[in-house]
Amino acid sequence: RMNFVKGEAAKPYNAPTVGIRPEHIKLSKETGSWKGVVGVAEHLGSDTFLHVNVDGIGMLTVRADGDFPVTHGDTVWLTPDATRIHRFDDNGLAVRG
C-alpha cells in the first residue's frame, strides 16, 4: 500500500502530495530525511515491516529487505528514493514530467 505525504514534507519533491511505496524508503538508525519512532516492527521471513510515526507527517509503512533490528519505541530515519516518488496535484491527479 502506498504512503501519502502532504504539505511541507512533499515540497522538496515539487508536488503538494507525494506517494511512496514501503519498499522505496531507505531505513537508517543514524541519518535520513525524516525522523520517526517505530510503533510496530514485524519481522516476517526475509522482510521487516515497520509502522513509523514520522515527525510532521504521521504514520508511514516501510519495508526493509532482511531483518532490520528495531523494536517498538526505537527512533529511525527514513529517506525516500527520489526516483520512485509519485507526485500528485491539489486535486489528487498524477503529475507527469
Side-chain angles (χ1 to χ4, degrees), residues 13-61:
Y13 305 100
N14 300 315
T17 302
V18 294
I20 310 157
R21 297 190 185 284
E23 61 271 20
H24 298 152
I25 302 173
K26 180 182 172 189
L27 285 161
S28 172
K29 289 185 173 182
E30 299 165 5
T31 186
S33 300
W34 303 326
K35 181 181 175 184
V37 176
V38 175
V40 176
E42 297 178 274
H43 306 280
L44 302 172
S46 63
D47 294 324
T48 299
F49 287 88
L50 303 175
H51 300 274
V52 181
N53 190 4
V54 179
D55 296 344
I57 295 174
M59 194 64 69
L60 296 179
T61 301

Side-chain angles (χ1 to χ4, degrees), residues 65-76:
D65 291 332
D67 184 32
F68 189 77
V70 294
T71 60
H72 174 81
D74 287 353
T75 297
V76 294

